[in-house]
Amino acid sequence: MSEISLHGGDPSVLRRLNSAATLRALRGGGEPTLSELARKVGLSRPTTEGVVTDLAERGLVTEVAPRSGAGLGRPARRYRFRAEAGYALGLDIDAHWVRLFLADLNGRVVGSHRADLDVGWQAPERLAAVRAAVKTCLAESGIERSALWAVAAGTPGVVAPDGTVAFCTVVPDWQGLNLGRELGRSFSCPVYVENDANLAAMAERWRGVAEDADDMIYVLAGLHTGVGVIIGGRLHRGRRGAAGEIGMLPELGLRDTTAALAGAPLPAPGTVTGGAEAVLEAARHDDPEAVALVERLATRMARGVAAMALAVDPETIVVGGALTRAGGRLVDELRRRVRPLCLSPVRIESSALGDEAVGVGAVRLALDRIDENLFRIDQG
Amino acid sequence: MSEISLHGGDPSVLRRLNSAATLRALRGGGEPTLSELARKVGLSRPTTEGVVTDLAERGLVTEVAPRSGAGLGRPARRYRFRAEAGYALGLDIDAHWVRLFLADLNGRVVGSHRADLDVGWQAPERLAAVRAAVKTCLAESGIERSALWAVAAGTPGVVAPDGTVAFCTVVPDWQGLNLGRELGRSFSCPVYVENDANLAAMAERWRGVAEDADDMIYVLAGLHTGVGVIIGGRLHRGRRGAAGEIGMLPELGLRDTTAALAGAPLPAPGTVTGGAEAVLEAARHDDPEAVALVERLATRMARGVAAMALAVDPETIVVGGALTRAGGRLVDELRRRVRPLCLSPVRIESSALGDEAVGVGAVRLALDRIDENLFRIDQG
């Protein structure tokens, strides 16, 4: 009884299954021979050869120089995955800056760029500056635009599935903009748009302090606030892409952090000037007034963070964003204030990726979409 | 290239794959012949016959009386899934009652029972009463204890993975009890323990107002409060089984509902007496004092419900428990108060299962565990 049914037994489905398994084995690294690859995947050598030929034609696999054999005869041919077959571009578009990261199919970063944006700009000027930054980043990295297989962009606000910024108070002239469509004009590959805190959560799970966490929360504590939620290893967006927007409740203290830092009068105007960034810098240097401000912010944020912790009961809460630049003080204060509000001690960590989290998360999202297509077996 | 690898090609894995596919097809209903079944599953007729013989030996499948054929010769034998091969028992253990539901493998309820528990009892008396209720339920249904394949129990509080009630203020002498082990003494099948609101969420998704919802929240508004969270179609328990315990934050209004109803002085002692249940009954009859109390409760609960809605962004919020007996008033008031706090209009519905939600959810959990074993293919 060694029969197996594959709903119709479509041979092209089997071919794609074999192709995906072979690609996965090659992507794991190394430069196997056909025989080694066949053994690893569990296919016959002739089948493996057919699959590899097909993958090479698609540009995903290439032959490497054979190693000089110890024995007699011609050394066996070896193959490797072509991570340089395509690239993923990740953008972090904020009110104040755009950050870009360019990575190959293995996630190796091959280029990055950052440009300041004027917070007073309307959408067209901001989009033009983003496009210019993309051009510079590609040129500096020596990567052709046509080599991009996917682009993802992070933005503050609630993002609808079609790439529209459905709700955003942080970036002027941004709410209602179909950012996916606007950016899509510059690329021939798919463009995805996601909330910035969501992407930062993905980044910290990929390469940060929450590596491989099943359930985690990322709190973006910057000039605006946001929350990203990973559940069961996957980004939880919610019905309208608005999961984590708990800062909407004024008593949970996340909503008006921005106002307190960016707009409201500072505690000692004579001592600390230059806005939020200056406060943060001062707090790092133990200026007592600024330290007091960070402590007050922590007190206010603690309830929102605790509410998220109680709602989701995560393994880890990662706190990132500009406010964490204050030398870990904000995170220390949050730890002290959140724990008494929770049922059990919750792990609260500083972001490992700092200001790069959103851009790195955008790369991860773009790579995820590329992988879904590479390993899709239900379509031709 | 019609080769497929099953990591080692273990024939027993293939046998189990075929067995699971056949069982699934039979459980879908109907009384197919071997040929019909073979066609449906995509196996050969001899393979199907072998699988069906094996399933019949395990008591999961039985031959039914052949239909008189229209043509000549002996009519073909027909088979059906034996839903009566085993049973699932669901318990809802509260401070005030235990409710039981007994269902066959298709989820058809074949028996139920309810017994009052004295809120003053210590754990041993309460457990004895639960055991007596189980005995009565089995006897009344005519089901042997040995026919139970899984038991699940819902309880207020945070439940640890090993079945210990890790946190519970509602049921006296309950916190710290390993309820799973205590109940397990009465059964030879596995016993599972889960938070009551979590089970109610599963029940409403199974047979209630949130049928097949991917992301939903159940708010248990009774003499105690609780929240169950379904994400991606699965119960989200959190790292310590404490997801949804947002009522721990006093300003979110869920924590002291119990106290307000059960312990605090009622608004008009002359008008409304007899504790919380009487208030609810009065509210249903539009007693103005009681109506005012329900409205105050709704105002307090609204922030907690909104916090969960903002954290998870669900398709539906289902509100159940004793407080919803007040003629839908509590749900109406919650709708009115929660929506302005949220980013987008959220769907808030009254529980369809009422007081039965926790017990029905316990049956669903037990059936899920049975199914996992029935369709497991990675073990013998």
Side-chain angles (χ1 to χ4, degrees), chain A residues 338-352:
Chain A
V338 169
R339 285 190 176 157
L341 298 172
C342 290
L343 277 166
S344 56
V346 58
R347 197 179 143 217
I348 302 181
E349 301 287 346
S350 262
S351 160

PDB file of all heavy atoms in Angstrom, chain A residues 338-352:
ATOM      1  N   VAL A 338       5.615  48.424  34.144  1.00  0.00           N
ATOM      2  CA  VAL A 338       4.680  47.497  33.486  1.00  0.00           C
ATOM      3  C   VAL A 338       4.492  46.240  34.328  1.00  0.00           C
ATOM      4  O   VAL A 338       3.383  45.737  34.482  1.00  0.00           O
ATOM      5  CB  VAL A 338       5.181  47.128  32.068  1.00  0.00           C
ATOM      6  CG1 VAL A 338       4.379  45.971  31.486  1.00  0.00           C
ATOM      7  CG2 VAL A 338       5.099  48.348  31.156  1.00  0.00           C
ATOM      8  N   ARG A 339       5.589  45.744  34.902  1.00  0.00           N
ATOM      9  CA  ARG A 339       5.500  44.446  35.580  1.00  0.00           C
ATOM     10  C   ARG A 339       4.453  44.388  36.689  1.00  0.00           C
ATOM     11  O   ARG A 339       3.716  43.413  36.768  1.00  0.00           O
ATOM     12  CB  ARG A 339       6.887  44.037  36.090  1.00  0.00           C
ATOM     13  CG  ARG A 339       7.747  43.567  34.919  1.00  0.00           C
ATOM     14  CD  ARG A 339       9.032  42.937  35.376  1.00  0.00           C
ATOM     15  NE  ARG A 339       9.753  42.418  34.221  1.00  0.00           N
ATOM     16  CZ  ARG A 339      11.062  42.211  34.186  1.00  0.00           C
ATOM     17  NH1 ARG A 339      11.794  42.484  35.255  1.00  0.00           N
ATOM     18  NH2 ARG A 339      11.630  41.734  33.112  1.00  0.00           N
ATOM     19  N   PRO A 340       4.345  45.413  37.530  1.00  0.00           N
ATOM     20  CA  PRO A 340       3.328  45.321  38.593  1.00  0.00           C
ATOM     21  C   PRO A 340       1.899  45.283  38.044  1.00  0.00           C
ATOM     22  O   PRO A 340       0.987  44.875  38.748  1.00  0.00           O
ATOM     23  CB  PRO A 340       3.548  46.606  39.413  1.00  0.00           C
ATOM     24  CG  PRO A 340       4.894  47.102  39.034  1.00  0.00           C
ATOM     25  CD  PRO A 340       5.151  46.632  37.640  1.00  0.00           C
ATOM     26  N   LEU A 341       1.717  45.713  36.797  1.00  0.00           N
ATOM     27  CA  LEU A 341       0.374  45.741  36.217  1.00  0.00           C
ATOM     28  C   LEU A 341       0.006  44.414  35.577  1.00  0.00           C
ATOM     29  O   LEU A 341      -1.129  44.200  35.171  1.00  0.00           O
ATOM     30  CB  LEU A 341       0.278  46.856  35.166  1.00  0.00           C
ATOM     31  CG  LEU A 341       0.494  48.284  35.661  1.00  0.00           C
ATOM     32  CD1 LEU A 341       0.562  49.248  34.493  1.00  0.00           C
ATOM     33  CD2 LEU A 341      -0.628  48.688  36.612  1.00  0.00           C
ATOM     34  N   CYS A 342       0.991  43.502  35.437  1.00  0.00           N
ATOM     35  CA  CYS A 342       0.756  42.259  34.719  1.00  0.00           C
ATOM     36  C   CYS A 342       0.614  41.084  35.671  1.00  0.00           C
ATOM     37  O   CYS A 342       1.031  41.139  36.816  1.00  0.00           O
ATOM     38  CB  CYS A 342       1.891  41.988  33.725  1.00  0.00           C
ATOM     39  SG  CYS A 342       1.862  43.148  32.355  1.00  0.00           S
ATOM     40  N   LEU A 343       0.044  40.014  35.151  1.00  0.00           N
ATOM     41  CA  LEU A 343      -0.181  38.821  35.970  1.00  0.00           C
ATOM     42  C   LEU A 343       1.117  38.082  36.246  1.00  0.00           C
ATOM     43  O   LEU A 343       1.280  37.449  37.277  1.00  0.00           O
ATOM     44  CB  LEU A 343      -1.131  37.874  35.229  1.00  0.00           C
ATOM     45  CG  LEU A 343      -2.610  38.185  35.382  1.00  0.00           C
ATOM     46  CD1 LEU A 343      -3.405  37.410  34.361  1.00  0.00           C
ATOM     47  CD2 LEU A 343      -3.065  37.844  36.782  1.00  0.00           C
ATOM     48  N   SER A 344       2.030  38.110  35.271  1.00  0.00           N
ATOM     49  CA  SER A 344       3.277  37.371  35.421  1.00  0.00           C
ATOM     50  C   SER A 344       4.412  38.228  34.895  1.00  0.00           C
ATOM     51  O   SER A 344       4.190  39.134  34.095  1.00  0.00           O
ATOM     52  CB  SER A 344       3.190  36.062  34.631  1.00  0.00           C
ATOM     53  OG  SER A 344       2.881  36.347  33.286  1.00  0.00           O
ATOM     54  N   PRO A 345       5.640  37.986  35.355  1.00  0.00           N
ATOM     55  CA  PRO A 345       6.761  38.834  34.908  1.00  0.00           C
ATOM     56  C   PRO A 345       6.899  38.752  33.395  1.00  0.00           C
ATOM     57  O   PRO A 345       7.011  37.664  32.845  1.00  0.00           O
ATOM     58  CB  PRO A 345       7.986  38.229  35.599  1.00  0.00           C
ATOM     59  CG  PRO A 345       7.509  37.121  36.445  1.00  0.00           C
ATOM     60  CD  PRO A 345       6.060  36.888  36.199  1.00  0.00           C
ATOM     61  N   VAL A 346       6.863  39.890  32.739  1.00  0.00           N
ATOM     62  CA  VAL A 346       6.960  39.905  31.282  1.00  0.00           C
ATOM     63  C   VAL A 346       8.355  40.391  30.895  1.00  0.00           C
ATOM     64  O   VAL A 346       8.931  41.260  31.543  1.00  0.00           O
ATOM     65  CB  VAL A 346       5.837  40.781  30.677  1.00  0.00           C
ATOM     66  CG1 VAL A 346       5.898  42.202  31.215  1.00  0.00           C
ATOM     67  CG2 VAL A 346       5.898  40.786  29.169  1.00  0.00           C
ATOM     68  N   ARG A 347       8.913  39.762  29.841  1.00  0.00           N
ATOM     69  CA  ARG A 347      10.254  40.121  29.378  1.00  0.00           C
ATOM     70  C   ARG A 347      10.148  41.374  28.501  1.00  0.00           C
ATOM     71  O   ARG A 347       9.433  41.367  27.503  1.00  0.00           O
ATOM     72  CB  ARG A 347      10.804  38.932  28.563  1.00  0.00           C
ATOM     73  CG  ARG A 347      12.292  38.958  28.345  1.00  0.00           C
ATOM     74  CD  ARG A 347      12.750  37.733  27.544  1.00  0.00           C
ATOM     75  NE  ARG A 347      13.823  38.126  26.650  1.00  0.00           N
ATOM     76  CZ  ARG A 347      14.007  37.669  25.421  1.00  0.00           C
ATOM     77  NH1 ARG A 347      13.191  36.769  24.927  1.00  0.00           N
ATOM     78  NH2 ARG A 347      15.006  38.108  24.696  1.00  0.00           N
ATOM     79  N   ILE A 348      10.837  42.415  28.877  1.00  0.00           N
ATOM     80  CA  ILE A 348      10.835  43.665  28.094  1.00  0.00           C
ATOM     81  C   ILE A 348      12.265  43.976  27.687  1.00  0.00           C
ATOM     82  O   ILE A 348      13.150  44.061  28.547  1.00  0.00           O
ATOM     83  CB  ILE A 348      10.247  44.833  28.913  1.00  0.00           C
ATOM     84  CG1 ILE A 348       8.823  44.493  29.365  1.00  0.00           C
ATOM     85  CG2 ILE A 348      10.258  46.116  28.101  1.00  0.00           C
ATOM     86  CD1 ILE A 348       8.145  45.603  30.155  1.00  0.00           C
ATOM     87  N   GLU A 349      12.521  44.100  26.389  1.00  0.00           N
ATOM     88  CA  GLU A 349      13.883  44.271  25.888  1.00  0.00           C
ATOM     89  C   GLU A 349      13.984  45.513  25.017  1.00  0.00           C
ATOM     90  O   GLU A 349      13.031  45.882  24.333  1.00  0.00           O
ATOM     91  CB  GLU A 349      14.293  43.065  25.028  1.00  0.00           C
ATOM     92  CG  GLU A 349      14.245  41.718  25.735  1.00  0.00           C
ATOM     93  CD  GLU A 349      15.375  41.553  26.745  1.00  0.00           C
ATOM     94  OE1 GLU A 349      16.333  42.346  26.704  1.00  0.00           O
ATOM     95  OE2 GLU A 349      15.280  40.631  27.577  1.00  0.00           O
ATOM     96  N   SER A 350      15.173  46.108  25.023  1.00  0.00           N
ATOM     97  CA  SER A 350      15.460  47.185  24.076  1.00  0.00           C
ATOM     98  C   SER A 350      15.648  46.602  22.681  1.00  0.00           C
ATOM     99  O   SER A 350      16.249  45.539  22.522  1.00  0.00           O
ATOM    100  CB  SER A 350      16.763  47.888  24.454  1.00  0.00           C
ATOM    101  OG  SER A 350      16.508  49.047  25.178  1.00  0.00           O
ATOM    102  N   SER A 351      15.152  47.300  21.686  1.00  0.00           N
ATOM    103  CA  SER A 351      15.373  46.915  20.293  1.00  0.00           C
ATOM    104  C   SER A 351      16.853  46.700  20.015  1.00  0.00           C
ATOM    105  O   SER A 351      17.697  47.479  20.465  1.00  0.00           O
ATOM    106  CB  SER A 351      14.846  48.018  19.384  1.00  0.00           C
ATOM    107  OG  SER A 351      15.428  47.930  18.104  1.00  0.00           O
ATOM    108  N   ALA A 352      17.160  45.627  19.282  1.00  0.00           N
ATOM    109  CA  ALA A 352      18.547  45.397  18.876  1.00  0.00           C
ATOM    110  C   ALA A 352      18.866  46.165  17.602  1.00  0.00           C
ATOM    111  O   ALA A 352      20.029  46.440  17.310  1.00  0.00           O
ATOM    112  CB  ALA A 352      18.785  43.913  18.657  1.00  0.00           C
TER     113      ALA A 352
END
